[in-house]
Amino acid sequence: MELERFLFTSESVTEGHPDKVADQIADAIVDDIVSKDPCGRVAAEAFVHTGIVHVAGQITTACYCDIPKVVRQVVRDIGYVESKMGFDADTCGVLVSFDEQSPDIALGVDLALECKEGGMATDDEIEKMGAGDQGIMFGYACRETEELMPLPIQLAHKLCRKLAFARKSEILPYLRPDGKSQVTVEYDNGEPIRIDSVVVSSHHKASVDMKTIREGILEKVIKEVVPADMMDSKTKIYINPTGRFVVGGPLADTGLTGRKIIVDTYGGMAPHGGGCFSGKDPSKVDRAAAYAARYVAKNVVAAGLADRVELAVAYAIGVARPMSVSIKTFGTHHVAKETILDLIHKHFDLRPGAIIRDLRLRRPIYRQVSSYGHFGRHDLDLPWEATDKAEILRKEAGLPAAAEKVGASK
């Protein structure tokens, strides 16, 4: 049973955080390849440290990808352009180690078990394509925000995006690319009622005093993001609590693809299946099925079938149809859970090939979500964030039109 009153915390990191540098490099490689070869197979990982980027993995494609050029452009776009930061686009070394995708894995992706067992000869990719791996993927949606995302992670992401905006637009010109945020929200009976604490840490130039940094971040970042009516006299605000953050980015810490999977999803409010998203082409269900699960959950909540939904979808390598599809509504459902599940099976095809088709995933759309979250991004046109099936779900569930209203007032 849930506590009636509790605190919940989520964190986010900026695009200049070492792990996010690695994620963006991996996804930039995916984008470059799928822009030229939509059916290319990519599993790319990046490791970054002082003065070095090492990219490795498996790529099967007929096109050419100038990986060092892609890497340097990502690093430049993030803002690592000065050698005194210990890591910059022009002088960092780039090591490349790629092989082709394992033929044993390709066997299951190229022709699903259902086709093999049935002796089916088909050119229909939806029928042919099996899952690229086993695993459990989760989708989640709730009414806490207009994006149908949990409030803690949504605020944490917005704080980090605001930090980056203040740096790039030179509103706070002394900021550097690395940074973090953390937001703790107090809940009462499952509803967010106040902000208990806010933490923002930002990489900065050594020449600027901490008083200036703290005042600037408070006024130009925190107060412009965190709703004033959610804060009170007991809300705690910490800005660069160590007192100094001059050494940052890959100079301060190593970065690795896939090490911020909770930041990428729901901030810990919902489970994560374990596989990261970045660096993977859409044939990998770690990525594509997680996007599809969010799409399903968001439409269920937008339709008013429940106020909070967690969807779990399990796959076996080489098999097209999911092993299981299950939902949790945490007691918030407005129609029977069996009805919700029946509607999901009727209106959403969760086979890998169908997900790729329906969400139009064979496009270079991945680097843009490799920082600041893959979900709840109203600043981007993401197919898995659409609520285009909410109306038909609502009607078939027999709910009144008033149930269409979504999002929280705060």
Side-chain angles (χ1 to χ4, degrees):
M1 176 178 281
E2 283 188 296
L3 297 173
E4 290 186 359
R5 208 172 183 97
F6 62 94
L7 299 176
F8 193 89
T9 304
S10 295
E11 71 155 343
S12 183
V13 298
T14 66
E15 63 208 66
H17 184 282
D19 293 329
K20 278 294 151 198
V21 174
D23 284 343
Q24 289 167 90
I25 288 169
D27 270 340
I29 293 170
V30 175
D31 277 356
D32 188 77
I33 289 174
V34 299
S35 69
K36 305 166 186 172
D37 178 7
C39 294
R41 302 277 172 82
V42 187
E45 308 232 7
F47 169 83
V48 301
H49 191 39
T50 307
I52 191 73
V53 177
H54 188 180
V55 288
Q58 297 78 40
I59 295 176
T60 301
T61 182
C63 73
Y64 173 69
C65 176
D66 188 342
I67 290 176
K69 182 179 179 180
V70 170
V71 169
R72 294 186 191 282
Q73 189 59 54
V74 171
V75 175
R76 185 174 294 109
D77 290 345
I78 292 169
Y80 287 112
V81 293
E82 301 176 42
S83 59
K84 60 186 176 183
M85 292 188 196
F87 184 77
D88 74 281
D90 293 324
T91 66
C92 69
V94 180
L95 302 178
V96 180
S97 306
F98 280 99
D99 293 313
E100 291 188 344
Q101 182 183 60
S102 163
D104 297 342
I105 295 175
L107 282 173
V109 179
D110 294 340
L111 190 64
L113 182 66
E114 293 95 323
C115 293
K116 295 173 184 175
E117 289 185 338
M120 186 187 302
T122 177
D123 292 326
D124 185 351
E125 183 185 19
I126 309 304
E127 297 289 345
K128 288 173 60 179
M129 188 175 184
D133 203 352
Q134 68 178 42
I136 308 164
M137 274 47 79
F138 292 91
Y140 184 84
C142 62
R143 289 185 174 272
E144 293 177 23
T145 65
E146 65 178 354
E147 299 90 353
L148 302 187
M149 286 285 288
L151 183 62
I153 187 63
Q154 205 66 1
L155 286 178
H157 283 323
K158 288 180 178 180
L159 286 167
C160 281
R161 285 172 57 195
K162 197 70 172 180
L163 266 182
F165 175 78
R167 169 177 62 88
K168 291 180 175 181
S169 63
E170 297 191 341
I171 293 172
L172 302 177
Y174 43 79
L175 299 184
R176 283 181 167 172
D178 198 357
K180 288 186 172 185
S181 69
Q182 185 170 283
V183 177
T184 300
V185 175
E186 183 173 355
Y187 286 79
D188 188 11
N189 287 317
E191 295 293 328
I193 59 171
R194 60 181 291 273
I195 306 298
D196 185 74
S197 65
V198 177
V199 183
V200 176
S201 296
S202 182
H203 191 193
H204 61 87
K205 294 180 180 178
S207 58
V208 183
D209 65 274
M210 192 52 58
K211 182 175 183 294
T212 299
I213 292 169
R214 286 174 172 160
E215 288 178 351
I217 290 176
L218 177 63
E219 294 298 323
K220 299 300 183 181
V221 177
I222 295 174
K223 287 186 177 181
E224 293 191 9
V225 169
V226 182
D229 63 345
M230 292 287 284
M231 294 193 288
D232 54 33
S233 60
K234 294 183 179 180
T235 299
K236 301 174 286 292
I237 296 177
Y238 303 94
I239 300 171
N240 282 24
T242 67
R244 181 180 170 88
F245 192 175
V246 172
V247 180
L251 176 63
D253 198 3
T254 57
L256 187 65
T257 300
R259 207 156 52 180
K260 285 290 178 286
I261 57 176
I262 302 305
V263 170
D264 286 342
T265 53
Y266 306 100
M269 190 70 78
H272 187 97
C276 77
F277 303 155
S278 291
K280 296 176 180 177
D281 75 81
S283 73
K284 278 69 172 177
V285 286
D286 279 341
R287 169 166 242 161
Y291 292 169
R294 163 65 177 172
Y295 177 53
V296 173
K298 189 173 183 182
N299 275 272
V300 168
V301 172
L305 308 188
D307 296 331
R308 181 181 170 202
V309 169
E310 176 190 300
L311 180 80
V313 188
Y315 292 87
I317 189 169
V319 181
R321 297 193 180 278
M323 298 293 99
S324 65
V325 179
S326 61
I327 60 166
K328 291 182 181 178
T329 63
F330 310 94
T332 69
H333 51 282
H334 301 294
V335 297
K337 287 192 286 185
E338 293 78 9
T339 299
I340 298 174
L341 202 53
D342 287 344
L343 288 169
I344 289 171
H345 284 301
K346 180 178 179 181
H347 291 288
F348 298 92
D349 190 340
L350 295 174
R351 293 175 296 168
I355 293 170
I356 291 171
R357 175 199 64 197
D358 295 341
L359 298 182
R360 309 183 312 279
L361 296 182
R362 287 201 165 125
R363 298 180 291 145
I365 57 174
Y366 300 110
R367 182 185 163 192
Q368 62 183 342
V369 293
S370 57
S371 52
Y372 312 120
H374 294 244
F375 307 128
R377 298 294 299 274
H378 281 190
D379 58 310
L380 302 173
D381 181 19
L382 302 174
W384 54 88
E385 289 298 311
T387 54
D388 53 329
K389 294 197 176 184
E391 175 69 11
I392 192 169
L393 294 177
R394 181 190 65 76
K395 285 183 177 179
E396 293 195 11
L399 291 176
E404 290 181 89
K405 186 177 180 181
V406 300
S409 60
K410 295 177 180 176

